[in-house]
Amino acid sequence: MPFPFARLAAGLGVAAVAAPWLYRRVRRTILSHDRGNRGIKVDAAVTVNETPERLYRFWRQVENLPHVMSHLKSVTAQGPRRSRWTVTLPAGTTLAWDAEIINDIPNTLIAWQAVQGSPVDHAGSVHFDPTAAGGTVVRVSLQYDPPAGELGHALAALFGEDARSKIEEDLRTFKQSMERGARADTVSW
């Protein structure tokens, strides 16, 4: 029976070598993010060669957002300030909540927060700042309390599935889509 013992010893040896690396990586991920009053704070920005007015119109029609945000399954407007968001999670599961716009300055800012009782407490904003060259810096700021807390955030970050990675990726997709001429239709309430 020495063979199973040898495999067990080899497995424990690999785990002993990998455990400190995994611990350092998770700890670095937890400590590398900013903290906000809701837990995790994410800030990301991209410069888009389009006007703030056009980008604001696209973003303000929330039904457009799943076209440029990979994790969004759907967003449905429920009125001028309230919407229903559904995201796709790992393993094909979904999570849905309602959000409301709490600040709306046309062509400049949209800020929102999850309504009370949502499964993920979060708030965020998107700013549209014109550049001297005629483009726009689009800045997204998000604060959220992940369902599994900081450990869940750290594990998601290990696999590139954390909010920061997703927002940065989505902003790149938004930039490409808008610069290629995506429609910026508006909904009137």
Side-chain angles (χ1 to χ4, degrees), residues 73-161:
K73 181 175 182 180
S74 66
V75 182
T76 307
Q78 297 179 326
R81 298 184 87 75
R82 195 168 178 141
S83 52
R84 179 83 173 161
W85 295 65
T86 304
V87 297
T88 303
L89 301 173
T93 59
T94 60
L95 180 67
W97 67 87
D98 291 340
E100 65 181 333
I101 293 175
I102 56 174
N103 195 357
D104 187 0
I105 303 170
N107 308 322
T108 304
L109 166 75
I110 303 168
W112 68 90
Q113 67 182 10
V115 299
Q116 189 170 8
S118 292
V120 178
D121 183 25
H122 73 281
S125 63
V126 58
H127 296 256
F128 305 93
D129 300 321
T131 67
T136 305
V137 176
V138 178
R139 289 184 295 115
V140 173
S141 181
L142 176 71
Q143 292 187 34
Y144 73 106
D145 186 14
E150 289 194 14
L151 179 59
H153 168 75
L155 290 174
L158 284 174
F159 298 101
E161 296 292 326

Side-chain angles (χ1 to χ4, degrees), residues 2 11 17 32 41 44 51 87 105 122 129 145 147 162-163 173 175 180:
V17 169
S32 69
K41 183 173 188 278
T51 65
V87 297
I105 303 170
H122 73 281
D129 300 321
D145 186 14
D162 61 301
T173 302
K175 172 185 173 66
R180 280 192 303 235

